[in-house]
Amino acid sequence: LEKAEQLRQAIKSDPEWIDGFQAMIRTLAPELRTSSLDELIAPIQVPWWNAALLSRTGGSYDAVRGILHVDSSLSHSYLPQLMSSEKLVRAKTDSMSVSNVLITSDGLIVLGYRGGHRYSNTIMTVGAGSIELHSGKNPLFETCYTELKEEVKLDKQDLTSVELVGNICDETLQKSTLYVFRSKTSLTFAELLDTWQESIDQNEHKYLLPFPDDPERMLDHIHLNGYDLTRADPQNHAATTIGNAGSILPPCAASLLAHFGQQYGANFIQKARSKLGESYLFESF
């Protein structure tokens, strides 16, 4: 934490970074130009993540033709941080992310016990991340492939299938739309642990955890071990409290529900909502 704070302050005091930050504000959030620069810089807690993103402005899913249509606008990795701090309010846009349910050849769902400084010591899908612009040809799939490469060093040839199976509306931690993928790898869980040790973002997860690809058992696990907002730090949800250590983050739980919902249909979805209420908003394709 000390080293992170030193790096944070070093970046945010760099004149070139400040110039770039101001240029980004002028281009993508001109309504903030009259605000104090110091007030805008203060909420940027992850200045080392400097990337062009896409923000969702609308969209629809055609169930008959199996086509997902997404409307988006150009965004930046600093804008969600400004929105979280309420320095920036945009009612018609959502952050866009992917969340991937990874299944090994020996039939296990792989989840990650998070490291880092945000939601550490909680459980999340592997890989997951904000949708970056990439080539612009198919940013959802491109982001999914990139996250799998960075988090667990899986290349396309290591994957036997990659499917878009649903989407999530996460209102618990932040206003965000996540597109849920299901990826199957030819590697066993033991083999995946070896590739993970060599990945670029290996420290994003302290451990990789195997779970059964079983809807009943995972539904029970989500019910008993879901992230509890009443136990969170009201000033900073991203700072995991003792009461939420080891819990399943809402985007992870909803991703698993979308995965099972796509496989088992309306009966499972009805059972999940009966058991969990409206805690997790998801749609299976």
Side-chain angles (χ1 to χ4, degrees):
L1 291 174
E2 227 174 87
K3 289 180 179 178
E5 181 59 23
Q6 290 171 2
L7 177 59
R8 185 177 296 116
Q9 294 307 322
I11 293 172
K12 290 164 69 171
S13 61
D14 184 285
E16 287 191 30
W17 182 87
I18 293 171
D19 287 345
F21 180 79
Q22 288 179 296
M24 184 276 295
I25 294 294
R26 286 195 300 271
T27 305
L28 297 178
E31 66 266 40
L32 296 179
R33 290 179 66 180
T34 56
S35 300
S36 160
L37 180 60
D38 288 341
E39 285 185 7
L40 294 179
I41 288 176
I44 307 302
Q45 292 299 300
V46 194
W48 48 82
W49 180 35
N50 187 343
L53 306 180
L54 292 176
S55 181
R56 181 181 181 275
T57 58
S60 60
Y61 176 65
D62 183 339
V64 175
R65 298 166 64 198
I67 295 174
L68 176 69
H69 179 83
V70 180
D71 298 321
S72 62
S73 60
L74 189 62
S75 183
H76 191 276
S77 51
Y78 298 152
L79 295 185
Q81 297 176 63
L82 290 169
M83 292 174 75
S84 294
S85 68
E86 299 184 347
K87 295 293 180 186
L88 176 63
V89 178
R90 287 181 170 174
K92 294 183 179 179
T93 65
D94 286 349
S95 299
M96 290 171 60
S97 303
V98 299
S99 176
N100 177 69
V101 178
L102 178 60
I103 302 174
T104 61
S105 63
D106 45 350
L108 296 170
I109 293 176
V110 181
L111 301 178
Y113 195 83
R114 285 182 59 83
H117 306 297
R118 291 177 57 79
Y119 302 105
S120 60
N121 302 319
T122 59
I123 296 172
M124 185 55 187
T125 51
V126 179
S130 296
I131 295 175
E132 298 188 14
L133 191 57
H134 297 290
S135 72
K137 292 179 181 177
N138 196 325
L140 274 66
F141 274 84
E142 288 177 340
T143 299
C144 182
Y145 284 124
T146 298
E147 294 297 332
L148 285 169
K149 175 71 172 177
E150 291 178 352
E151 291 186 23
V152 284
K153 204 182 177 184
L154 285 179
D155 292 309
K156 287 185 179 180
Q157 62 263 29
D158 300 315
L159 299 167
T160 56
S161 65
V162 179
E163 305 167 89
L164 181 60
V165 297
N167 72 272
I168 302 166
C169 180
D170 177 26
E171 299 281 358
T172 309
L173 304 180
Q174 63 183 35
K175 188 178 181 184
S176 180
T177 298
L178 291 90
Y179 294 95
V180 182
F181 284 82
R182 176 173 58 233
S183 300
K184 296 184 179 180
T185 176
S186 56
L187 304 184
T188 65
F189 180 75
E191 290 168 337
L192 186 70
L193 288 178
D194 291 334
T195 67
W196 165 62
Q197 297 288 346
E198 300 175 358
S199 62
I200 296 171
D201 285 347
Q202 191 258 337
N203 290 328
E204 185 160 335
H205 306 290
K206 294 180 179 179
Y207 320 103
L208 295 185
L209 304 171
F211 286 83
D213 187 17
D214 181 312
E216 300 297 331
R217 291 173 67 183
M218 291 308 295
L219 194 56
D220 286 341
H221 199 68
I222 292 168
H223 178 63
L224 294 172
N225 199 37
Y227 182 91
D228 187 343
L229 200 58
T230 65
R231 296 179 181 175
D233 181 344
Q235 302 302 316
N236 183 9
H237 291 167
T240 306
T241 60
I242 293 174
N244 274 321
S247 64
I248 298 177
L249 285 175
C252 178
S255 297
L256 294 168
L257 296 176
H259 153 62
F260 289 122
Q262 194 271 344
Q263 280 192 308
Y264 299 105
N267 286 340
F268 171 82
I269 293 172
Q270 184 178 0
K271 185 171 185 177
R273 288 182 173 149
S274 173
K275 190 162 192 171
L276 303 172
E278 295 299 321
S279 303
Y280 307 104
L281 300 178
F282 68 95
E283 179 183 9
S284 298
F285 297 154

